[in-house]
Amino acid sequence: MAGSVNLTITPPRWLLAELTYSCPLQCPYCANPIDFASIKNELGTEDWLRVLTEARAMGAVQLGFSGGEPLTRQDLPVLVKHARELGYFSNLITSGYGMTEAKIVELKEAGLDHIQVSIQSPEKTLNDELAGTESFEHKKEVARLVKKHGYPMVLCVVVHRKNIHQIREILEMATELGADYLEVANTQYYGWAHLNRDQLLPTKEQFEEAEAIAQAYKEKVKGKMKIYYVIPDFYEDRPKACMNGWGTTFLTIAPDGTALPCHSARELPGLVCPNVKDMSIYDIWHHSEAFNHFRGDEWMKEPCRSCPEKTKDFGGCHCQAYLLTGDMHNTDPACSLSPDRERVYEAIFKARNDSESGNVKPLVFRNPKNSKMLA
Amino acid sequence: MKIQHESVNMALDPTKILNFSPALRLQWEETQKKHVILYPEGIVELNVPSTEILKLCDGEHNAEQILVELEAKFNQTGLKNDIYGFLEVAIENGWIS
Ligand code: SF4
Ligand code: SF4
């Protein structure tokens, strides 16, 4: 017997509130769905307040306000205040664009716990190019202001082939800005990043070199700055335990109120995700088809079904299985036991070809125009 | 082993007043019936003794005083290694300073 995956439903612990899909930036690795521009009907303030209350009552305690760019929502301070009163530990995940010192102070007074600022590259030209907007100096200024006003400062840099050679400068920039936490996140290939994969996926050598530099730096700054290094799984033998197990810990609410077991789950055809306008958070978590779909191991095919490691990684990421094989029930090809492992080699091969060809494909930027064209 | 122990011991000055980090939060979670530490991107669940120790890192107590107070409270002696050991871990993790 291969053991079985526990079926008891645990309460959600992390709530990700994607307040809006609108964003002044255009990062080509954005995890938002390709068709974001056609998703209308943003939830109103009352609905968000209710979502926060209901999820907190069930046990959610870590809260992320993200998007898009959450600062574009005028009711952000109201939501932050409510979150604090409920006892959440809340994090604003922002590009920094549109942030002012007055806003930083206002949010602090409302009870925001920390701010995560993302920077695209430690070099102005590349940062502005990737963001599709001139934003570099402002982002650095925001990072300093976040520090100045006593928030723990979390800096996030998404890493891919266009900036992976700057890993040393990324680490030094974090130190210079006084970051308390640095998230070096290798791009995960969903949403827009999947679309731009040939242009973004680093080679194995690049990845290994960057990882070695980051690990050494981690030792060096131990006790001063905490580094979270998110690995890409294309060069691993085993997939990530996606979301710590489907429907066990994470709950994402999209801008229109769709409840997602993982922020990419919208991409999965055949998975009908419930909406907070129709169902309570309790019913969504316990009774909806989408949240129960990948709980336990009944859904598994071989080789996962009889694999002793299924209690560790739950078969990997279903969105990746879908994007690479066309069936979300397949073993994630990031696993070397997957019969579709070829798909990963193909992706690596195509990306290498793109980087070595004299005529590199242009990046497709995440903006409403491209979204409408591609959807 | 021994070396590691000595070097860790140096991190704790038993006469220094200890403070819980203002950037983190220590709170009771009703659904879990436990105290937790909340920090950016993370949750640490605490047992009862750890909670009691951290609550005394309040800007008024040093390690010696925490020891005296908790030995009295639990009516027990010989807690020094456990308490100092936990305080060292807490310092290393940046929960207190
Ligand atoms: S990844 Fe970039 S484009 Fe996407 S929401 Fe974040 S800042 Fe905006
Ligand atoms: S086959 Fe691979 S993905 Fe599936 S459970 Fe085993 S190790 Fe995990």
Side-chain angles (χ1 to χ4, degrees):
Chain A
M1 266 306 286
S4 67
V5 178
N6 194 352
L7 248 182
T8 331
I9 299 183
T10 52
R13 306 291 292 147
W14 298 64
L15 173 64
L16 184 66
E18 292 184 336
L19 298 180
T20 178
Y21 283 135
S22 68
C23 183
L25 268 51
Q26 313 180 29
C27 312
Y29 49 73
C30 184
N32 286 166
I34 302 287
D35 63 350
F36 76 87
S38 59
I39 303 169
K40 295 276 180 312
N41 299 323
E42 264 187 19
L43 284 186
T45 311
E46 289 307 314
D47 279 324
W48 277 117
L49 294 173
R50 178 176 56 85
V51 165
L52 296 181
T53 306
E54 287 183 14
R56 178 70 186 130
M58 288 180 66
V61 61
Q62 283 278 357
L63 169 65
F65 289 110
S66 80
E69 174 50 67
L71 284 172
T72 61
R73 284 279 303 213
Q74 296 310 311
D75 55 358
L76 184 60
V78 177
L79 302 180
V80 166
K81 183 157 181 283
H82 188 61
R84 182 54 184 259
E85 284 161 5
L86 292 168
Y88 278 108
F89 194 72
S90 54
N91 177 20
L92 178 69
I93 302 164
T94 175
S95 69
Y97 202 90
M99 186 63 111
T100 59
E101 184 158 16
K103 195 114 244 174
I104 290 178
V105 173
E106 185 188 7
L107 291 168
K108 178 104 200 177
E109 279 162 6
L112 186 65
D113 290 289
H114 59 122
I115 298 183
Q116 175 183 316
V117 182
S118 64
I119 295 190
Q120 280 67 10
S121 155
E123 186 232 328
K124 178 172 166 29
T125 325
L126 185 60
N127 176 84
D128 293 354
E129 185 191 321
L130 289 167
T133 319
E134 201 180 311
S135 52
F136 185 63
E137 295 304 334
H138 180 67
K139 279 166 177 284
K140 288 194 11 180
E141 182 56 21
V142 169
R144 286 193 199 97
L145 288 171
V146 163
K147 241 346 245 194
K148 177 178 157 195
H149 289 281
Y151 289 98
M153 201 253 284
V154 188
L155 194 71
C156 172
V157 182
V158 177
V159 172
H160 41 73
R161 206 168 73 227
K162 308 281 180 194
N163 67 1
I164 196 164
H165 62 286
Q166 299 176 327
I167 186 80
R168 227 177 236 113
E169 290 85 348
I170 290 172
L171 297 162
E172 280 159 9
M173 172 179 70
T175 300
E176 182 209 311
L177 291 173
D180 300 290
Y181 299 81
L182 169 66
E183 192 173 318
V184 183
N186 276 280
T187 303
Q188 310 291 314
Y189 294 92
Y190 316 110
W192 293 79
H194 177 73
L195 194 72
N196 286 304
R197 194 181 62 205
D198 291 350
Q199 299 93 302
L200 293 176
L201 185 67
T203 63
K204 186 164 194 196
E205 298 76 45
Q206 285 173 322
F207 164 64
E208 282 173 350
E209 196 192 335
E211 190 181 22
I213 295 172
Q215 296 301 356
Y217 201 83
K218 205 170 173 171
E219 278 302 303
K220 197 177 123 189
V221 296
K222 212 169 156 188
K224 278 182 252 151
M225 176 166 74
K226 216 166 160 175
I227 301 183
Y228 299 109
Y229 190 81
V230 184
I231 60 162
D233 50 11
F234 276 55
Y235 294 114
E236 302 293 320
D237 286 335
R238 289 291 181 270
K240 289 184 300 286
C242 201
M243 307 316 283
N244 194 37
W246 187 268
T248 65
T249 316
F250 292 94
L251 169 63
T252 295
I253 308 295
D256 63 345
T258 306
L260 307 168
C262 132
H263 66 273
S264 302
R266 257 202 133 107
E267 291 188 275
L268 298 171
L271 192 79
V272 186
C273 293
N275 193 295
V276 300
K277 286 181 193 148
D278 313 320
M279 260 173 131
S280 69
I281 301 289
Y282 184 90
D283 284 340
I284 286 173
W285 189 258
H286 286 266
H287 305 303
S288 71
E289 201 279 325
F291 279 78
N292 282 310
H293 197 93
F294 290 110
R295 279 193 177 125
D297 50 18
E298 271 309 300
W299 60 272
M300 281 182 189
K301 297 192 195 174
E302 292 299 348
C304 293
R305 183 173 273 266
S306 53
C307 176
E309 290 177 53
K310 69 181 172 187
T311 52
K312 262 199 285 177
D313 62 37
F314 318 106
C317 168
H318 316 304
C319 301
Q320 187 149 278
Y322 163 68
L323 287 171
L324 294 178
T325 76
D327 181 348
M328 62 182 176
H329 301 101
N330 280 338
T331 297
D332 181 349
C335 178
S336 62
L337 303 172
S338 156
D340 300 299
R341 181 71 170 172
E342 270 309 299
R343 299 281 93 81
V344 169
Y345 298 139
E346 251 170 51
I348 294 172
F349 180 76
K350 280 171 65 192
R352 188 181 276 269
N353 258 352
D354 183 78
S355 74
E356 287 171 358
S357 80
N359 137 41
V360 187
K361 280 198 276 182
L363 289 165
V364 182
F365 286 90
R366 174 230 190 259
N367 55 41
K369 192 168 146 246
N370 284 334
S371 172
K372 283 185 194 125
M373 204 175 72
L374 291 158
Chain B
M1 265 326 261
K2 191 156 177 285
I3 293 174
Q4 215 181 21
H5 202 88
E6 277 169 9
S7 73
V8 167
N9 261 342
M10 281 168 39
L12 181 71
D13 169 1
T15 61
K16 184 180 176 291
I17 297 291
L18 296 168
N19 275 297
F20 188 75
S21 165
L24 316 182
R25 202 142 17 106
L26 175 66
Q27 80 183 23
W28 172 253
E29 280 301 288
E30 186 56 36
T31 46
Q32 286 175 297
K33 305 270 180 264
K34 264 189 191 127
H35 274 87
V36 296
I37 298 178
L38 300 168
Y39 61 95
E41 322 275 326
I43 308 172
V44 182
E45 295 182 359
L46 299 169
N47 57 22
V48 175
S50 318
T51 308
E52 293 293 333
I53 298 172
L54 290 175
K55 280 189 172 161
L56 289 173
C57 299
D58 54 2
E60 285 172 22
H61 296 79
N62 63 28
E64 280 172 355
Q65 293 160 330
I66 293 175
L67 175 65
V68 172
E69 196 148 316
L70 291 181
E71 286 193 335
K73 180 165 182 177
F74 293 110
N75 200 10
Q76 227 179 322
T77 52
L79 296 179
K80 187 169 171 179
N81 280 350
D82 287 347
I83 292 179
Y84 282 20
F86 177 77
L87 286 171
E88 281 156 8
V89 171
I91 290 172
E92 238 187 73
N93 285 317
W95 301 338
I96 58 171
S97 63

